[in-house]
Each structure stands twice: as C-alpha cells, then as structure tokens.
Amino acid sequence: MNTRLLFFLLIICPLSAVCQTFTSSNLPILVIDTRGGTILDDPKIVADLRIIDNGPGKRNNLTDKASFTSVMGIEYRGATSQQFFPKKPYGIELRDSTGINSVAKSVLGMPAESDWVLNATYNDKTLIRETLTYDFYRKMSKYYASRFRYCELVLNGEYRGIYIVMERLKRDKNRVPITSIKKTDITGDAVTGGYILKIDKTVGSTSRSWKSPYPSGPRNINLDIQIDRPKPEDLAEEQFQYIKKYVSDFEASLAGSDFRDPTKGFRAFVDEQSFIDYLILTEVCKNVDGYRLSAYFYKERDSKGGKITMGPIWDYNLTYGNADYCEGNSYMGWAFNFSRVCPKDDFVLPFWWDRLLLDLDFARKVKEKYKALRQTVLTPERLGAFVDSTSSALTESRQRNFVKWPVIGTYVWPNGFVGRTYEAETDYLKTWIGQRLTWMDINIESFGVLTALREEAAFTLGPNPSIGDVTLKLPLPTPTDVSLSLTDMQGRALQTRHWPAQPKGLFERTLPATDFNTGPGVYILTISTQTGPTSRVIVRE
C-alpha cells in the first residue's frame, strides 16, 4: 500500500462540510490510480485498479490486501451526467499488463468480461432507483438486465463516494446473448444477426445511423436509429444495409394496414414478449426517457430466432417521480404519451408504441401480464422491501457519500422531489410506487378491449368544413388521459393540449377558430387516449 496514497485517503473534506475519515467499509472498495494521467471523455487512459473485497459480512479496510488487481483503461461516460455533475460516471476496460489488450475477468462475482461501468448515481438521492429497476426486471422477465454491485471508490487518493459497478451492454453469452458478428459476415445467415441498435442522443456517439422513414411525434420527426454494435470500424457496408432494411421492413409492417396480421404484420419481425415486458417496466417506473432515449434493441441471426428483441434495459435514474419536467414526477399518466405531453421536445418516441397498442391482442397481453405480476413480484411491499434492505446496507457508506457530495435537501436537476433527509427521499420513492400501481390498476383495464375501435367510430367533429369554432365529442368508456394535437398539412404543430385523468363519459371540447392560425386549408386533428391515437381531417374554408 502506497503510504502517500493512504495519507490522502484518510481525510474527506468537501467544501462547506465537516471533514471525515475513510479507512474501511462494509462495501467493496475500488482504488484507481491513473498514473498521473487526466481522465478524458475519449479515449481511455491507462490506470491501475485494486478491489478490496473480503467477502459477505466481512469488513474491507484500505490496508487489506487486494482481492483483485488489473491494469485498465478508464474514461468518462454519459452525456448530461459527465457534463454537468461534479460526481462523474466512468467506463472502464480491463487490460493485460501492457495496458493495450483487453482481457475478460470476473469482477465482484459477476461473469468475466472486460468492459464495465461505474455508475455515479448522483441525482438520485436514494441511490436505489437504478438497482431497484434492474432487480425487478430480472424477476419479471426472461430477458437480460445488467448485474450490479455497490462499492465505494477512491480515485487518485481522493474519496469519490458510492458507485454502482455495472455490466456494460455488450454482446456476450452472459450479457446480450447474440452472436458476435465479424466484418467478413456479409452473406447468408451470417449477415442476419449480431446487431445491437438504439434510439438515443447522437451527440458524442460514434455509432452509424439512419433516419427512420416513418415520422414520429406531433412534429413528425424522422428519428435516428443507431447501430451500437458492431462499431463503425467493424461494420461492413453489407451489414449496414441489411439491418437498415430489416428494421425499415419492420416499421413498414407496423405502419401498414395489415399490421395486426400474424404473418404479414409486426409479429413477423419482432419478439413480441420483449416489447410487452419493456412496456410494462417503462410504465411501472414511468421513465421520462423511456422509449426515446437509451432505448436499445437487438437482432440475432435468423437461424437462432432472428427477430428484433426489445432491450437490454438501461438508464433509470430519472424514474419513479425523479423528474420535474413533462409530468415526470406525477404518478398519473402513461410514459408512452410523452411526445403528446411535451410536443416540443426533440427526442420523440418512435411511432411503434402507439401502433402496437392499437393491436387489441398485444394490448390485452400487456394487461394480462401486468395483472399477473401484481399478484407476485409487483407489489408496493416487495418493491419497498428492496428499497429498505438496500438503504440499510448503504447506511454508513451513504453518510460518507453525502458528506462528499452534500446534495440532500438541495435541488439537483431534474429532481421531482427534494427531501430534507435521506429518509424523506426513500419515503417519497415508496409512496410514489404505491400511488403509481394504484393508478395503473385502474387505467390498464381498458387495454385490449374494443375501446379504440368504439372511440374511432364515435369521435365526431363539427362543423366540418368550418369557418369558425370546431367542437369535438369523444365518448370515454373508462377514465383516461386525453391529449390533442393539431397540425397543418406540412406537419407543423399548431396546438397541443393535455387533459389528465378524464372521467368516464362524454368528453367534449371546443377548438376556437384562432387555433387554425394558418388560414383556410386542410388540418389534421389527433386525439389520443391510453388506447392510442385517432386522427381526423378538418377542412377550413
């Protein structure tokens, strides 16, 4: 143990806080030394990693012999978090002694791989939302979710607080279980699989992408579909063209009139159950970024199943009411309505989810699985027990973490709630979960019934054509949110409105003539409820 390093480790003195010492922990301790180098966003710099982990129930001291050592590469990761937050997330790659070649190793009992993530969990003051979500998904679904371990980090002699060691999303038999496609795999079955794709921000991304030919959201945005793996330098042109065509064919099938057909429709292209599970998870935690950011999906070779699988899941710090924009802190409303609630946001949901929910069989399966989960792993008691047990395990380490990063009682973007104590934060989380599930129990009942078809037949506008105000009438068989968007024929959004939690009965509203502010012509009015959108043409004379 470097005595100079130990000296610096003993004292934690953040600004405006009382100094404390750090010599041991009930969590594993990660000690990283960058050899005097400065960590960058890219590329990774060479560093040394030591992990002190004496096993379950045993204390870990900084002076103990390391249970794991490795040379590694380290870099910043994340978009918003690395740019705006002082507590940075990191990506690490385990390497051999030369510091050049990656090597797969088991870390903290997780299956061997070379690439890992150190999640800073800065703006979630419970420190639990990410792990709660991965734990729940692993219990509710057969699909992969990243494994994790909490630790405390010391970087270049400085205590950095609690981090979550997580598996990076990667093709591997223990991670995303698909074939690792080679650049020479350009024909036959070999070209058909091994792809991980995503819908996400493109800033800072090295992914190759294309624009979806099918507009999404009230502003008819053609969103970017990115290839996460293979990396651009490992991607043959034939592979790019293959997966672009496959995803575009899926979108065409979903947008087409036969989208419900079991052989011609979307089911010919996708693993339906993965989409059901992804939707349920996203709605339970009401992920404000759900469907539209960090939204991964993958495709294996045709000989091994070969359909688009939704997932793996990723990035859940802005969930369970931890976002103060676009109704992210409300336990009411569907996450798949984000683009109607916030029509000016540039990151829109793909049109997929509205369309899928118009398939009554798909919607019915969502409801049936949700209701089955409510009898087993999806209860406030079970989720609350995870929160309580995790917060208990973090008792001493979180106290050090919040001395280093004094965020308790302080707003950190985009907190939907600011508690004066850590206990207030976890109480809010548990209360929000209970309220969310109660709301979903009521509002999911209309999934999979003929509501959408009855609404489409009953949705009336008058007068149409018109020169003045226009009145719309829509019978609501069950309570639901109602959203409205009005666009002109160029796709420009003119008006958007949202009415949460509308009661059963006749929904009636008047659109004033001033809404049609581009003059005479043709307009598109779209009304959306929890069963999906329905559109009508309005002619202005």
Side-chain angles (χ1 to χ4, degrees), residues 254-276:
L254 189 59
S257 58
D258 292 328
F259 76 101
R260 298 182 181 92
D261 188 281
T263 56
K264 300 178 184 177
F266 71 89
R267 290 180 178 85
F269 295 89
V270 306
D271 179 331
E272 182 181 14
Q273 190 59 56
S274 70
F275 280 73
I276 291 169

Side-chain angles (χ1 to χ4, degrees), residues 446-461:
S446 64
F447 279 41
V449 298
L450 295 177
T451 305
L453 298 181
R454 288 199 301 267
E455 286 179 359
E456 185 172 356
F459 176 21
T460 61
L461 289 169

